[in-house]
Amino acid sequence: MKVVTTLADIQSIAQRFRDEGLRIGLVPTMGCFHEGHLSLMRKAKEKTDKVITTLFVNPIQFGPSEDLDSYPHDLERDRKLAEKCGVDILYAPDNKTMYPKRFASNVHVAGLTDILCGASRPGHFDGVTTVLAKLFNQTLPHVAIFGEKDFQQLAIIRRMVTDLDFPIDILGHPIVRETSGLAMSSRNTYLRDNEMEAALSLSRSIAYAQDLARREKVDATAIIQAVEKEITRHKECSIDYIEIVNCRTLSSCTIIDSESQILLAVKINNRIRLIDNSQLLGN
Ligand code: PAF
């Protein structure tokens, strides 16, 4: 596996792969790899000839009071893990490469970015779509793979790729969970032992919501109230949102059907913001 940091290098490598008729699979990340990231890399390896993983902690998707400065990173550890998964190129540009002086552009997907996480993290998704537009142009992928834990992010990326005619297949990959049920996330490294029960209330309350939807056939309002009650039993938890939406449009739904998706964002001790989601009737 080759580690590349410059724009000239990644562009010439990606172009060479294309000239050789090889299909490129892209896995964009911010590093601190866990099994969730590694499963995306393995999937890219299965689906394409050459896998490029990008590792860039994108400053423009963090708000002023968020965790940019403390975001976990360990390039050497990540390098070894990516190599084991068969990644061909690890592209780790620095801030100056991605955002040189006078950088002034912004990719904005209207509507989908105003709700859910977008409502409490203004500008976050513009940061995500802007960096991805650049990474897509730099790495020329045929396929790009993202985890479904960031369910809203995935919907926004699909919208951008369709709207802006990027010739890229966007694939989602199911959430990877710890045996406890906790959805894997780089931010789980912030959790202290005594915060684990509170963190588990997200996946446990989702399982409870699925049970209610399947067995009691209640409506969305009743499920949301039940989930809220479950989560707020933990004094460490403050709810950002609990929503049940249509999985394709992300618009709120009242009646539960096969496209209903529950999405949660919860802060643990006001320090760690965790998200989780699942289909209500599927899985
Ligand atoms: O999901 C992430 O890790 C980031 O939002 C992404 C897609 C790599 C863009 O910085």
Side-chain angles (χ1 to χ4, degrees):
M1 186 185 75
K2 203 172 153 108
V3 179
V4 169
T5 57
T6 71
L7 184 55
D9 282 349
I10 194 66
Q11 282 177 324
S12 76
I13 289 170
Q15 193 54 59
R16 182 164 48 79
F17 287 160
R18 284 209 161 229
D19 292 346
E20 290 168 5
L22 300 170
R23 282 174 58 76
I24 301 174
L26 176 69
V27 180
T29 79
M30 299 207 298
C32 189
F33 296 157
H34 49 68
E35 190 50 38
H37 296 110
L38 305 183
S39 64
L40 303 182
M41 295 174 205
R42 288 189 207 106
K43 182 162 178 170
K45 195 71 195 170
E46 254 170 59
K47 302 243 165 230
T48 59
D49 304 309
K50 291 286 178 189
V51 177
I52 302 180
T53 291
T54 65
L55 193 169
F56 178 62
V57 182
N58 176 33
I60 66 166
Q61 70 185 73
F62 288 78
S65 58
E66 292 183 356
D67 55 345
L68 173 62
D69 294 335
S70 55
Y71 200 82
H73 64 274
D74 184 344
L75 179 60
E76 191 40 32
R77 175 185 168 277
D78 285 351
R79 190 190 64 71
K80 286 186 189 142
L81 290 170
E83 187 156 38
K84 271 199 195 145
C85 291
V87 169
D88 296 281
I89 306 291
L90 182 65
Y91 174 47
D94 64 10
N95 280 341
K96 270 200 223 130
T97 303
M98 293 303 283
Y99 302 116
K101 253 194 198 152
R102 289 190 287 280
F103 182 86
S105 300
N106 182 40
V107 178
H108 175 67
V109 174
L112 284 179
T113 55
D114 297 335
I115 53 174
L116 303 166
C117 290
S120 47
R121 303 186 70 191
H124 165 68
F125 288 117
D126 285 9
V128 171
T129 44
T130 301
V131 81
L132 286 177
K134 286 177 67 77
L135 291 172
F136 289 164
N137 285 330
Q138 294 173 359
T139 62
L140 307 176
H142 297 81
V143 174
I145 307 186
F146 298 87
E148 287 172 358
K149 185 170 79 70
D150 296 293
F151 196 81
Q152 182 180 13
Q153 168 173 280
L154 183 55
I156 291 167
I157 295 165
R158 288 192 201 280
R159 182 79 268 145
M160 170 183 85
V161 163
T162 302
D163 289 352
L164 301 185
D165 307 316
F166 281 103
I168 303 172
D169 277 346
I170 301 297
L171 301 185
H173 187 74
I175 297 180
V176 179
R177 296 181 182 278
E178 306 284 356
T179 38
S180 61
L182 183 68
M184 289 198 185
S185 161
S186 304
R187 290 191 167 101
N188 291 350
T189 56
Y190 301 150
L191 287 167
R192 298 178 182 142
D193 286 352
N194 62 359
E195 292 170 327
M196 214 38 104
E197 278 298 303
L200 284 174
S201 69
L202 280 84
S203 55
R204 285 181 183 156
S205 64
I206 286 178
Y208 180 44
Q210 287 172 322
D211 203 46
L212 283 178
R214 283 171 198 158
R215 292 192 312 138
E216 316 245 338
K217 303 203 173 16
V218 289
D219 68 5
T221 313
I223 294 175
I224 290 170
Q225 279 168 0
V227 168
E228 185 175 346
K229 205 166 151 201
E230 270 306 298
I231 293 178
T232 50
R233 282 197 306 115
H234 299 268
K235 61 178 186 337
E236 300 88 348
C237 292
S238 47
I239 292 169
D240 183 350
Y241 63 76
I242 304 169
E243 299 265 359
I244 298 178
V245 301
N246 176 280
C247 63
R248 285 176 304 105
T249 62
L250 300 193
S251 52
S252 289
C253 53
T254 29
I255 308 294
I256 305 303
D257 62 23
S258 59
E259 294 196 339
S260 298
Q261 192 88 14
I262 183 161
L263 291 98
L264 315 179
V266 174
K267 271 197 170 170
I268 311 292
N269 283 331
N270 266 319
R271 280 183 21 255
I272 311 155
R273 188 173 179 282
L274 299 178
I275 56 174
D276 201 344
N277 72 82
S278 183
Q279 272 188 350
L280 276 175
L281 295 180
N283 293 337

